[in-house]
Amino acid sequence: MSCTGVVLASSEQPRDELRTRRRDSVFFRSPRQRPRPYRETMRPQRSPGPAALLVCCFCAFHASAAFDIPLQVLGHINIEQLPTITAQSPSSLIAFPFDESFPLTCEAKGNPEPEFRWTKNGQEFDPFLDPRLMKEENSGTFVIPNNGNLTEYQGTYRCYASNKLGTAISKEIEFIVPNVPKFPKETLDPVVVEEGQPFVLKCDPPTGIPPLQIYWMTINLQHIEQDERVSTGLNGDLYFSHAVDKDSRRDYCCFAAFPRIRTIVQKTAMSVVVKTKTSDSPGSANAIPERRPSLLTPSGVRSEVLLVKEEDLKLECIAEGLPTPQVEWVKMGHQLPAKAKLENHGKLLIVPRVEQDDGGKYMCKAKNRLGEAVHYFTVTVEEPPEWKLEPESQLSMIGSNVHIKCSAGGIPEPVTTWRVNGVPLQESPAANRKAFRDTVVLHNAKASDSAVYQCEASNRHGTLLSNANIMIMNLRPMILTPGEESYSAVEGKAVTMHCEVFSSPPSTVTWSREDSSESVDGHRFTVHDNGSLEIEQLEKGDTGQYTCLAKNTEGLSAINAFLYVKDPTRISAPPEDQQILIGTTARLSCLAEYDKSFSNDFELLWEKDDMEIGLNYTENSRYLVEEGVLHIINVSHADQGVYTCVARTPVDQDVASALLMVLDVPDAPENLLLSEHKGKSVKLKWIPGDEHNSSTTEFIIQFEESQWEPGNWKELLRVPGNHNSATLKLHGHVDYRFRVSGVNGIGTGPPSEPTERYKTSPRAPDKNPENIKIEGHLPHEMDINWEPLLPIEHNGPGLEYKVSFRRQDLEDDWTEHTVKRHSFVVKNTPTFVPYEIKIQARNHQGWGPEPKIVTGYSGEDFPSAAPDDVKVEVMNSSVVKVSWTRVHKDKLHGHLGGYRVNWWRLRSLVDSKKSHGERQMLSFPGDRSHATVPGLTPFSEYSLIVMTFNGRGNGPGSHPASFKTPEGVPEKNPVFRVTDVQRHTVSLAWAPPLEPNGILTGYLLQYQLINDTEEVGPLQTVDVSNADTTKWVLRELEPLSKYKLYLRSCTAVGCGPVASEEVTTTLQTSLPSVHGGISTQGWFIGLMCAIALLTLIVLIACFVNRNKGGKYSVKEKEDLHPDVESQGMNDDTFCEYSDNDEKPLKGSQHSLSREIKAGDSGDSLVDYGDEDAQFNEDGSFIGEYAGRKEKRASAEIKAAVQTPA
């Protein structure tokens, strides 16, 4: 049996390769990394995760910023420049078989243009001599195509860029051509091991491009299960701490994966045979002897571990023994690093990215109950070279002393070497140059001393290389900043005006104001080394022109600049924090002040969480800004955040922020879980949803069951908002589901997803019926009703009720009946005797709890006795107090309901004629012996009786008691009218009160001038002492004035409520007017003229028609014997009259007035007459009047009007 090779072709791999290469370019620039050739022995990775960074041989190179002459200078004079490397390949370039080509990059700049050459393994190498290589003009880059044997190109390359001033060199570039990793072809003998003994399966993976990942699998690509007993080591071997029978198999395959070259190779399958012990073996007790631990790896007691800073420390201890040993880790004298982690079931200790403090002594201890084994690791952390002082490019004047410094640190200490133009310093001597350990000094430098100096620092973990361009030249000052620049800045802030100078030797830079030749001075003014002038705490007076002057030994140069000091931008009304309800519109206000010169350049912007809000002002835009107010329409949860108002001008800005919190009901709780399942309860847990800025006050737990009301969710329980679990009490034989919703100050949130169903087992009922009612509708029966158990409370099938009862006043046994309904009638009971009743529920599972006993009475009968000694005490003209002797309880035959008083009016004492009134009744609940009867008519004779009542009905009435009410004040006059209005007089008529409530003694007539002003005239009184008088004339009134009239009827007790009218006197005497001078109104005169004209036309028409009718005898007979009914029904004769008909035109003005009164008076009370009319305290009308009394009152008025006053 063998395992076959597999080549990966993942679409993800190229991206991984690009990422790795990208990391390489940065990786190899870092001085902290450790170079290590890829051919070194690798620690394979067991993890199937993404490939780790490539670890390969390289020299770390730090490209110092070369000294460049600015383009502005080159535009005026031609200055030569030393070459500078601008682009180069990473330190390690791997020739992956799936890449088309491999560029070795080298680009440089200088003046004159640099020329390029290469070395390979320290020997000259000319790419132009190899026709297979692709070259580029004016470039040092060449490309190796992947079209043949690449092995001959493998090696270490370096690029040189030279012009006549000097030479710059690149870092070394190693071109690696990897071999395809392969396992050797071999035949492996089976591994035979006795049960309980340790064994190891060797992998020995081939070398290749790291990272390396090891997998142990079967021939069917199933992973070998690993645990505390079985595990893969860092070297790829598979360790077994002791063998068991299931370890026997023939297809253990070791897979070595090289993700960077997309290759997986497998080793030949291995067989394992585990010999088990049987009871037939001699001397065997069918038991495997236990063993104290020993380490399978590492060997010995101590080992040394060397690694480079930032690498991962991996220490491994795999032990054998029976029982399987447990591994513990300690750092001697210290705690394990906080970042340390254990993997591989505690057998592997990993400390990522080690620092110097992570070095020291570590110990692993493998132990079981028989003993322990230990191993000590001495960990040393070293560092690659790192710059302490990197050489810097310099521009120095002729004749100066130039110092070039270079210093690097690392563990072990790096060795520093110097080169000039790529040649070791000792191979290019100069008389004025001296080299020390970390410094090169040029004495009295000349222009010919310009060169590129290289400093290289190396230890066994890497190399640093830096080029420093040293230029020796003299140049007069050249100001690179354009002249006449304008600067705007804000009062109170700072401004920097630039004056960039290029010169050799360095120039002295001074600044002055236009109004002074002296340099600016003061604590607010600072001239920086780069020539810039900084002014702090600007004032309005700083506005003006400034001059920058640069001067050295070769000459001087100057430019002017202009400064304008502006008012600061300030937010005067910042936005305020808000809490807004979701779905509404939020409004954030922001007002700012700014310098008016920026009117066209000022802008007010809004940001949310530091991101500018785009305002597109389309129909779908939810953001709108109007007059500095940001409107956020239909606020959602995504709108919550910090909103910043930015008031900005070209020179400054001011910001102010406000927090917008969106309020909403809580989100639905999540992850509902049922636990602690018990017979009568279950525990429900949940994770609360987002509260949306309003604390959850409570959670509502609902349930739904599938049998009685499926789909109907009901509330089960409420718990406080700081709880996330609840114990739910459940009924038996119910298939439950639960859900939870949160409640906060905004409202109730949506419910959660329901739980899985949970069905409880059936059990006996938990409760008995409640609200038991005992009623007796018939004298010899007792009705027992109760509130039935809800279906969900049945707790199981077969629910029924046991009704038990017995007389309370006798020592009887319980009488029991079992029913399925929720009512029961007990027959043949004595009348109204007490019973004890209890009701117990049961189902097929058993009886409910012992029921409570309730007391009730059997059926009631009518009371058999009436109250005695009924007495009446008259309190006033309309109220009496009634008292009686209570009925004995034995005569009640039921629960006492109370007493009822019936009364009726016999007659009015004004006349002697008796007329029985309607009976009235009042009920007085409870056990009492007196009551008050209100609402009686004064000056009347009454009779009353008293009776008791119970639940069955009324008992017999008492003997009637008669009484009389005293006189009272009269009712309001039903009619009070103005019958005629003149210049100085007003005629009045009225009807007496319908209920005088006594003997009338007269009327009180009052009037006063009002004239629609706030001030009223004095109240004048007329005492009408004759009770039969129903009309009056008021004299000596003011003409054309408005009066208020009042009338009250009086008895000996006093006067009754007032009836009132208003009237306006006329300007001159005229025909009698009606109803407050209505005839003086223009509309009334016009109406009367129209009626007169219409009447005249009708009479003429009738006269003509009557003359025509003389031709027919039938018509004459009808005229001689007129039929009133026919005339009323016949449309043709509607305008014919008999000799007895009234003719309105021949009547007086009085008759016209009478008709108007009957039809048009809106203030008359005649239309509302009624015997029971009532008035409130101020005399306002609150009743109605009957038609028959209207006729009586109208007749009385008619008679009064026709009699002259």
Side-chain angles (χ1 to χ4, degrees), residues 497-562:
M497 294 185 287
H498 302 292
C499 186
E500 183 181 358
V501 180
F502 185 83
S503 67
S504 180
S507 299
T508 301
V509 178
T510 59
W511 286 82
S512 61
R513 292 284 299 266
E514 61 180 337
D515 53 0
S516 174
S517 60
E518 298 295 326
S519 299
V520 294
D521 191 20
H523 69 280
R524 296 190 300 114
F525 300 90
T526 303
V527 179
H528 294 285
D529 293 340
N530 61 1
S532 298
L533 171 64
E534 181 180 4
I535 308 176
E536 298 178 337
Q537 300 176 359
L538 280 170
E539 302 171 355
K540 285 284 188 176
D542 294 329
T543 298
Q545 176 181 304
Y546 290 78
T547 300
C548 170
L549 178 66
K551 181 170 63 174
N552 71 357
T553 57
E554 305 297 315
L556 57 84
S557 184
I559 62 167
N560 292 327
F562 298 91

Side-chain angles (χ1 to χ4, degrees), residues 236-504:
D237 293 347
L238 187 62
Y239 293 87
F240 295 78
S241 67
H242 61 271
V244 296
D245 184 47
K246 68 176 183 179
D247 295 333
S248 294
R249 60 184 312 134
R250 297 184 298 165
D251 57 351
Y252 285 94
C253 285
C254 178
F255 292 75
F258 300 88
R260 295 202 66 195
I261 59 175
R262 308 177 192 176
T263 301
I264 296 179
V265 293
Q266 293 87 30
K267 187 172 185 175
T268 305
M270 290 173 273
S271 296
V272 172
V273 178
V274 178
K275 292 185 176 181
T276 59
K277 294 186 178 183
T278 65
S279 57
D280 297 335
S281 302
S284 170
N286 199 24
I288 301 173
E290 294 184 345
R291 224 174 31 258
R292 63 179 296 144
S294 65
L295 293 178
L296 297 174
T297 185
S299 58
V301 178
R302 303 179 185 276
S303 56
E304 303 285 334
V305 178
L306 175 65
L307 72 162
V308 180
K309 183 180 179 181
E310 298 292 324
E311 287 185 338
D312 291 347
L313 170 64
K314 296 183 179 181
L315 303 178
E316 181 181 54
C317 280
I318 300 179
E320 62 89 7
L322 190 66
T324 302
Q326 303 293 316
V327 178
E328 297 177 355
W329 292 90
V330 294
K331 183 178 182 183
M332 308 300 290
H334 301 276
Q335 295 286 336
L336 283 175
K339 57 186 175 180
K341 54 185 178 180
L342 296 176
E343 292 185 0
N344 198 14
H345 305 283
K347 304 170 191 176
L348 177 63
L349 174 67
I350 300 177
V351 181
R353 300 175 64 86
V354 293
E355 303 288 341
Q356 285 295 330
D357 293 343
D358 296 324
K361 238 179 209 186
Y362 291 78
M363 179 189 74
C364 75
K365 180 188 294 183
K367 62 181 181 179
N368 63 13
R369 58 174 172 261
L370 298 183
E372 60 184 37
V374 297
H375 188 89
Y376 298 94
F377 300 88
T378 301
V379 177
T380 303
V381 180
E382 296 188 346
E383 298 183 28
E386 184 174 357
W387 288 120
K388 293 181 179 178
L389 184 62
E390 185 176 2
E392 296 180 350
S393 297
Q394 302 178 39
L395 172 63
S396 299
M397 59 184 291
I398 296 173
S400 63
N401 293 332
V402 180
H403 294 257
I404 311 169
K405 293 183 178 294
C406 175
S407 177
I411 302 175
E413 186 73 22
V415 176
T416 302
T417 58
W418 288 92
R419 287 187 177 88
V420 57
N421 295 327
V423 178
L425 212 60
Q426 60 271 21
E427 297 179 15
S428 179
N432 65 336
R433 182 175 66 213
K434 291 186 178 180
F436 301 96
R437 185 172 182 271
D438 59 358
T439 305
V440 172
V441 180
L442 297 176
H443 296 282
N444 193 19
K446 305 181 294 293
S448 59
D449 290 328
S450 297
V452 182
Y453 285 80
Q454 289 90 23
C455 176
E456 191 172 54
S458 303
N459 66 9
R460 60 174 172 243
H461 300 302
T463 299
L464 293 176
L465 175 65
S466 180
N467 288 279
N469 290 2
I470 307 301
M471 290 286 294
I472 310 298
M473 63 187 299
N474 282 4
L475 184 67
R476 65 182 292 274
M478 296 188 66
I479 299 180
L480 306 181
T481 302
E484 309 301 321
E485 288 277 356
S486 294
Y487 296 88
S488 293
V490 176
E491 182 181 8
K493 301 292 184 180
V495 67
T496 300
M497 294 185 287
H498 302 292
C499 186
E500 183 181 358
V501 180
F502 185 83
S503 67
S504 180

Side-chain angles (χ1 to χ4, degrees), residues 614-632:
L615 302 172
N616 54 17
Y617 295 102
T618 61
E619 291 184 3
N620 297 327
S621 175
R622 295 175 46 252
Y623 296 101
L624 176 67
V625 176
E626 292 180 342
E627 299 180 353
V629 179
L630 173 65
H631 300 259
I632 308 172

